[in-house]
Amino acid sequence: MRYKGYLIDLDGTIYVGKKRLHEAESFIKTLQQKQIPFLFVTNNATKSPEMVQTFLQNSLDIEVNISQIYTSGLAALDYLLAEKLGNKGFVIGEQILKEQFLNAGFIEEKEHPNFVLQALDTQVTYNDLKMASLAIQQGAKYIVTNIDKQYPTEKGFVPGAGAIKELLVAATRVEPIIIGKPSSIIMNHAINRLGVRKEDVIMVGDNYQTDILAGIDNGIDTLLTLTGVTQKSDIPHLPKVPTHIVNDLSEWNYL
Ligand SMILES: [Mg+2]
């Protein structure tokens, strides 16, 4: 089966932390040579498409347009605009997310927001969590960019957006609307951006719980690459199998 469009994860799939995956870079070059549309889809809301673009260009050998990079932060803003939940929001997130939020036309409001948008925020304070908890209990819609609990660093895992989410859920007993993979929200927006019919699209990633379930749960074929989170030894235990599995992207022959 040849696919007409690719949705592709970044970390663990195209590179691993600071380590290059040359076969993944060749894979992207082939997509570009064959003019097959693709979109990088990442749960990381702490970086802008411009920052990702610069990293891909300077640290790897990948040149893409910023429109080919879609983060859970952008998907959250697309969702908020589409659902018309109001324009006043309280954002827990990195500066870049706050800028994207303002650029999309939203207004910061801590006391009586229409919604709380929560992502990974490395500067989060108790007061932020307190204000968010109170707003959610007063009826503000609670939106979370992604539920990755562990954020990988060279020294080990540190709390991710999902860990902060657990704290707010414990305080409010309100479950948030989840935007990032495996949610249908980011996938539907990503498919629209790609402009290819869902049946002709494949989702490529290294993480079964996010990338592969995002495909399986949303009727999109999947390609699991064993270069990141999900290991060969996990495969016998996966509840539903990915459409395709490769050790790395040099094994993908259907381009
Ligand atoms: Mg990944």
Side-chain angles (χ1 to χ4, degrees), residues 38-40 48-54 56-57 63-71 74 193:
F38 67 91
L39 180 68
F40 289 123
S48 67
E50 289 81 358
M51 290 155 82
V52 175
Q53 180 195 43
T54 304
L56 294 175
Q57 194 176 326
E63 288 207 30
V64 292
N65 204 293
I66 51 165
S67 65
Q68 289 176 290
I69 300 159
Y70 197 50
T71 68
L74 291 180
R193 275 205 167 204

Side-chain angles (χ1 to χ4, degrees), residues 25-252:
E25 292 176 36
S26 308
F27 167 78
I28 297 298
K29 282 214 165 65
T30 307
L31 287 174
Q32 290 173 324
Q33 278 156 9
K34 302 207 167 185
Q35 298 188 326
I36 299 168
F38 67 91
L39 180 68
F40 289 123
V41 182
T42 173
N43 274 0
N44 188 341
T46 66
K47 299 208 164 62
S48 67
E50 289 81 358
M51 290 155 82
V52 175
Q53 180 195 43
T54 304
F55 170 77
L56 294 175
Q57 194 176 326
N58 294 352
S59 301
L60 316 179
D61 187 17
I62 295 178
E63 288 207 30
V64 292
N65 204 293
I66 51 165
S67 65
Q68 289 176 290
I69 300 159
Y70 197 50
T71 68
S72 64
L74 291 180
L77 296 171
D78 283 342
Y79 171 81
L80 286 163
L81 288 170
E83 295 297 312
K84 299 188 169 60
L85 295 178
N87 67 342
K88 287 184 284 192
F90 178 24
V91 182
I92 292 181
E94 295 292 304
Q95 195 54 36
I96 191 69
L97 183 65
K98 291 176 180 166
E99 285 169 21
Q100 290 170 333
F101 164 89
L102 294 174
N103 289 340
F106 295 105
I107 300 162
E108 184 123 43
E109 164 64 47
K110 291 193 179 188
E111 298 280 340
H112 302 288
N114 304 116
F115 60 87
V116 171
L117 172 58
Q118 184 243 304
L120 171 56
D121 183 347
T122 58
Q123 309 290 317
V124 72
T125 65
Y126 187 85
N127 194 53
D128 293 332
L129 298 168
K130 183 177 104 181
M131 298 299 282
S133 297
L134 295 175
I136 292 165
Q137 289 169 83
Q138 284 160 16
K141 278 265 183 289
Y142 178 25
I143 318 286
V144 64
T145 53
N146 61 302
I147 51 168
D148 302 63
K149 289 183 192 168
Q150 299 178 298
Y151 189 85
T153 72
E154 290 89 73
K155 291 179 181 170
F157 291 110
V158 297
I164 298 174
K165 179 218 112 180
E166 292 297 313
L167 217 147
L168 287 176
V169 170
T172 62
R173 301 195 177 177
V174 174
E175 287 291 338
I177 294 161
I178 301 157
I179 303 293
K181 297 172 287 185
S183 169
S184 61
I185 296 176
I186 195 168
M187 296 306 282
N188 288 337
H189 283 288
I191 294 271
N192 283 343
R193 275 205 167 204
L194 193 64
V196 176
R197 292 189 322 155
K198 196 161 144 171
E199 307 83 82
D200 296 323
V201 172
I202 187 166
M203 173 73 217
V204 185
D206 69 294
N207 186 331
Y208 182 81
Q209 297 298 337
T210 54
D211 306 315
I212 303 307
L213 286 183
I216 291 173
D217 291 349
N218 294 293
I220 300 163
D221 278 7
T222 53
L223 169 59
L224 173 66
T225 173
L226 299 173
T227 44
V229 172
T230 302
Q231 306 281 307
K232 194 163 232 157
S233 57
D234 297 323
I235 295 171
H237 312 290
L238 300 180
K240 292 176 194 163
V241 287
T243 321
H244 311 274
I245 302 174
V246 290
N247 289 305
D248 66 59
L249 289 172
S250 69
E251 292 180 7
W252 183 244

Side-chain angles (χ1 to χ4, degrees), residues 9 11-13 206 211:
D9 173 56
D11 200 356
T13 301
D206 69 294
D211 306 315

